[in-house]
Amino acid sequence: MEGTRAQRLMNEIRELKAKRNAVLLAHNYQPAPIQDLADFCGDSLGLSIEAAKTEAEVIVFCGVRFMAETAKILSPDKTVLLPDRWAGCPMADMITAEQLRDLKQKHPEALVVCYVNSTADVKAESDYCCTSANAVDVVRSLPMDRPILFVPDQHLGRFVAQQTGRDLILWPGYCPTHVLIGEDDIRRAKEQYPEAVVIAHPECSEPVKDLADALLSTGQMLGFVRKSPARRFIVATEVGMLHPLQKVRPDAEFLPAGSRGICPNMKKITLEKVLASLTDLQFPIEVPEDIRRQAERSLQRMVEILPEK
Ligand code: 13P
Ligand code: SF4
């Protein structure tokens, strides 16, 4: 019954998508049916690149606001829709442009690197943008004699500092979903399956990352398990990630690290809302042109830098 309804919704979405010359982009944490329906599914970096090069007139962004905003910044002439207007990223809202301006005043020599999980206003105040896939490369490319402000994720920032050996000035932001994954979740899973490989997102807390075999963006996780000979993985990130992992390695077993890694905002997007979004062109993302142009500079620099492999 449910299956038939989902199938009907999917067919209607496909039809309307063609009529509107729309493309459906979905993040790896989206509910499984949305991922399966999307024209492109990926991590924040892959989605930014895809949004910049698509020829569609309409982009339906199945993810959270900062991702749709990034698409709008890179493709200002396109209509970019977020199917749920309240699907935000709490981490992105942990620093405002005003707070960043104050921080810059305290460190006038510093270059600002902002994680893509940030508002357009914060991107506009930044020199470089980065995702978890290329943060290390972005920081490595910066002159050694300049201090670096890294906002808003302290956990990604610490990972980058450790990888590059650079002393970053960190903002105390964090992802409320990833910090719920505990060290005990990993230890318990490891006790049960000692041979399993632990993969974790750099947004996780430091004790969790210390127990991981690899720290990877969601896109990098897919590349990693594709090449790995292991048959069992413990996955320390948002649970939506299990779906694309299972698709690339149907022979392997993927275990979530505990049961709390669920991003409520990512789960706000449903098939019903995607259909409504395409029907009524809701909810369009707008970014004031002056902010957009400034934010585009920092994003453009990011898109030009290749992701870490
Ligand atoms: P990725 O860029 O690795 O897909 O991560 C985005 C995100 O929001 C992680 O919480
Ligand atoms: Fe933001 Fe965390 Fe959700 Fe990613 S998982 S969108 S960082 S709240």
Side-chain angles (χ1 to χ4, degrees):
M1 194 67 176
E2 261 310 298
T4 326
R5 177 174 159 72
Q7 225 43 62
R8 187 171 48 74
L9 281 167
M10 284 189 188
N11 289 340
E12 282 181 53
I13 291 168
R14 281 194 197 99
E15 254 173 53
L16 205 49
K17 199 160 64 79
K19 244 188 245 162
R20 293 248 188 239
N21 186 17
V23 69
L24 214 82
L25 304 184
H27 186 263
N28 286 324
Y29 295 161
Q30 283 292 291
I34 307 267
Q35 292 196 29
D36 294 344
L37 189 63
D39 297 291
F40 179 87
C41 193
D43 67 1
S44 305
L45 181 64
L47 289 166
S48 306
I49 294 169
E50 207 56 36
K53 72 174 189 209
T54 182
E55 289 189 350
E57 287 167 70
V58 176
I59 299 174
V60 181
F61 214 112
C62 301
V64 292
R65 178 168 293 269
F66 79 81
M67 295 177 174
E69 228 172 45
T70 301
K72 184 68 183 178
I73 293 164
L74 294 171
S75 298
D77 299 332
K78 299 192 191 306
T79 300
V80 179
L81 305 171
L82 182 64
D84 184 309
R85 75 163 97 211
W86 304 113
C89 168
M91 183 213 282
D93 296 324
M94 285 182 190
I95 185 164
T96 63
E98 199 184 342
Q99 286 171 314
L100 181 52
R101 277 193 292 272
D102 286 350
L103 189 67
K104 283 163 67 173
Q105 255 179 11
K106 286 186 195 128
H107 303 277
E109 295 297 306
L111 289 170
V112 181
V113 179
C114 79
Y115 190 22
V116 72
N117 298 42
S118 53
T119 62
D121 291 0
V122 165
K123 287 184 179 77
E125 287 289 336
S126 302
D127 299 300
Y128 290 83
C129 199
C130 71
T131 74
S132 55
N134 63 10
V136 170
D137 281 353
V138 169
V139 169
R140 265 197 196 125
S141 76
L142 304 182
M144 287 303 286
D145 58 347
R146 300 283 298 275
I148 299 170
L149 303 176
F150 191 92
V151 302
D153 187 15
Q154 58 177 303
H155 298 294
L156 176 64
R158 279 196 202 101
F159 165 70
V160 174
Q162 195 197 11
Q163 293 291 305
T164 59
R166 294 201 61 171
D167 201 9
L168 307 181
I169 300 159
L170 304 178
W171 187 256
Y174 60 91
C175 163
T177 296
H178 281 82
V179 299
L180 287 181
I181 300 171
E183 209 183 328
D184 286 355
D185 292 320
I186 312 287
R187 286 196 201 284
R188 256 194 304 271
K190 269 303 246 190
E191 261 164 40
Q192 209 179 345
Y193 302 107
E195 86 299 351
V197 173
V198 181
I199 53 176
H201 196 278
E203 286 177 15
C204 289
S205 65
E206 282 59 49
V208 166
K209 284 188 287 197
D210 289 346
L211 294 171
D213 296 298
L215 300 174
L216 306 158
S217 78
T218 64
Q220 289 169 336
M221 284 182 183
L222 295 171
F224 180 89
V225 304
R226 209 178 263 128
K227 289 192 208 129
S228 169
R231 303 292 297 262
R232 191 173 273 135
F233 299 86
I234 296 162
V235 185
T237 193
E238 211 278 341
V239 290
M241 193 59 212
L242 268 64
H243 183 66
L245 286 169
Q246 197 68 71
K247 271 185 166 172
V248 300
R249 279 291 306 277
D251 61 312
E253 191 182 353
F254 295 95
L255 306 155
S259 56
R260 287 166 295 176
I262 301 169
C263 176
N265 283 285
M266 282 285 179
K267 305 305 185 228
K268 284 187 175 142
I269 310 295
T270 60
L271 289 174
E272 285 82 356
K273 287 180 194 171
V274 173
L275 182 59
S277 174
L278 274 165
T279 307
D280 302 328
L281 294 181
Q282 65 192 23
F283 295 93
I285 299 288
E286 298 299 343
V287 179
E289 185 54 19
D290 53 334
I291 300 287
R292 191 200 69 76
R293 235 181 291 122
Q294 274 175 272
E296 191 182 21
R297 281 178 322 139
S298 59
L299 272 167
Q300 216 65 57
R301 289 178 188 143
M302 171 190 86
V303 174
E304 283 157 17
I305 293 171
L306 287 173
E308 281 234 309
K309 285 284 170 289

